[in-house]
Amino acid sequence: MTNTSGNPASRQGGDTLLSSDRAPQARLEIRDLSVGYGPTPVVHDLNLVLRPGEVVALLGVNGAGKTTTVRALAGELRPLRGEVLFDGRRTTAPLHRRARGGLRYITEERSVFMELSVADNLRLGGGDRERCLELFPELAPLLPRRAGLLSGGEQQMLTLARALAADPRVLLADELSLGLAPLVLERLLLAVRAAADRGGAVLLVEQHVRDALEVADRAYVLSHGRVVLEGEARELRGRIGEIERTYLSNAELATG
Ligand code: ATP
């Protein structure tokens, strides 16, 4: 089976299920990346590719290394080994410079200004307010309300509206769903899918594996800081029970 990512499965030591040969140039890519919080890596020899128009899910149990990987992609953590490429060019730029290139990073913490109104949050986001309301009409009646008074789901819509209004070239979304009701999650994931359909390259870190695979084109599964499985989402959906048991269960977590 051919690998679209240019990452033979053997290179990562994992299982691969990719099938097509021709793909557009990666917008964001990591090659042989090892990264951590001191001299010892918590993510090892990782290869990952994000292309325009696709949603890529990054899956794994707590502590698998998902956030660490995303922070390296965002420019918040310097690689110990390996490299990050943005539009095919090696980069060590910090987040604010990658943001100038059209990268948006939604962290696990909701990034809204709690003391400010929804309207002011949208204004500070720099995107077009009408565009934000087009993406999330639910926010229109909430414009005068202080963001700290919104529900968790409404706050996350606000976060996503601010990120998506600029039509980001790359969106890195870490745990959008944290603590949210299933219907809200579905709403957010559809907005993320639409952003990719408009040409964005999206990386989605998600605990709700089945929901993530519904909107994703491809996925990587991390375990103990290594890719143990990668493939096309439609194929992974067909193996979901086995994947959950093997890579995403409490038993997997306990072996850490
Ligand atoms: P979760 O789903 O719980 O967010 P994760 O897959 O995103 O987990 P990471 O947050 O990347 O995992 O953590 C990977 C490893 O790095 C864990 O062992 C964690 O304890 C460690 N780690 C995370 N952040 C730090 C930090 N700031 N300093 C030191 N170690 C850290």
Side-chain angles (χ1 to χ4, degrees):
M1 210 172 274
T2 311
N3 185 335
T4 54
S5 68
N7 298 317
S10 56
R11 216 166 128 197
Q12 308 214 87
D15 189 0
T16 192
L17 291 166
L18 299 176
S19 58
S20 64
D21 256 330
R22 300 207 163 265
Q25 190 202 24
R27 193 158 279 166
L28 197 60
E29 179 173 359
I30 49 187
R31 290 188 185 159
D32 298 322
L33 179 95
S34 294
V35 60
Y37 300 89
T40 312
V42 298
V43 166
H44 313 264
D45 306 319
L46 190 81
N47 291 281
L48 183 149
V49 180
L50 274 187
R51 295 197 182 84
E54 67 175 359
V55 175
V56 173
L58 184 60
L59 310 172
V61 296
N62 294 124
K66 305 180 297 296
T67 296
T68 307
T69 302
V70 177
R71 292 186 66 190
L73 281 166
E76 281 203 344
L77 287 176
R78 291 291 285 261
L80 293 164
R81 249 174 37 82
E83 57 191 17
V84 178
L85 291 92
F86 197 169
D87 289 328
R89 282 188 297 276
R90 187 170 181 271
T91 180
T92 54
L95 176 57
H96 69 271
R97 282 200 17 234
R98 289 182 203 191
R100 272 189 241 142
L103 182 146
R104 293 289 177 277
Y105 174 31
I106 299 180
T107 65
E108 280 178 288
E109 299 84 37
R110 296 196 175 107
S111 42
V112 296
F113 298 100
M114 297 291 181
E115 297 305 318
L116 299 183
S117 68
V118 171
D120 285 342
N121 267 279
L122 292 181
R123 193 168 47 77
L124 287 175
D128 178 62
R129 172 168 134 165
E130 293 316 309
R131 178 89 184 99
C132 291
L133 298 177
E134 203 180 295
L135 290 166
F136 290 103
E138 297 93 326
L139 294 175
L142 303 173
L143 284 170
R145 192 171 301 174
R146 195 155 62 78
L149 298 177
L150 302 181
S151 71
E154 290 164 344
Q155 285 177 0
Q156 203 59 312
M157 279 184 205
L158 179 55
T159 303
L160 199 52
R162 291 175 56 194
L164 294 184
D167 275 332
R169 299 182 67 245
V170 176
L171 176 70
L172 307 174
D174 195 351
E175 301 276 9
L176 277 181
S177 66
L178 220 57
L180 301 185
L183 275 179
V184 179
L185 170 61
E186 191 182 312
R187 177 84 182 81
L188 298 177
L189 291 181
L190 288 177
V192 161
R193 177 69 253 174
D197 292 341
R198 287 191 298 275
V202 178
L203 184 71
L204 191 64
V205 173
E206 195 41 73
Q207 293 285 347
H208 293 85
V209 175
R210 289 169 189 255
D211 296 305
L213 289 178
E214 284 299 320
V215 297
D217 299 290
R218 294 187 297 114
Y220 297 79
V221 181
L222 279 184
S223 175
H224 306 299
R226 294 182 193 275
V227 172
V228 287
L229 178 67
E230 61 181 283
E232 303 212 359
R234 65 169 181 273
E235 295 181 63
L236 296 177
R237 280 197 295 270
R239 291 176 53 188
I240 188 69
E242 171 213 334
I243 290 168
E244 283 179 332
R245 278 192 306 280
T246 311
Y247 304 114
L248 303 167
S249 68
N250 290 333
E252 165 67 13
L253 190 57
T255 60

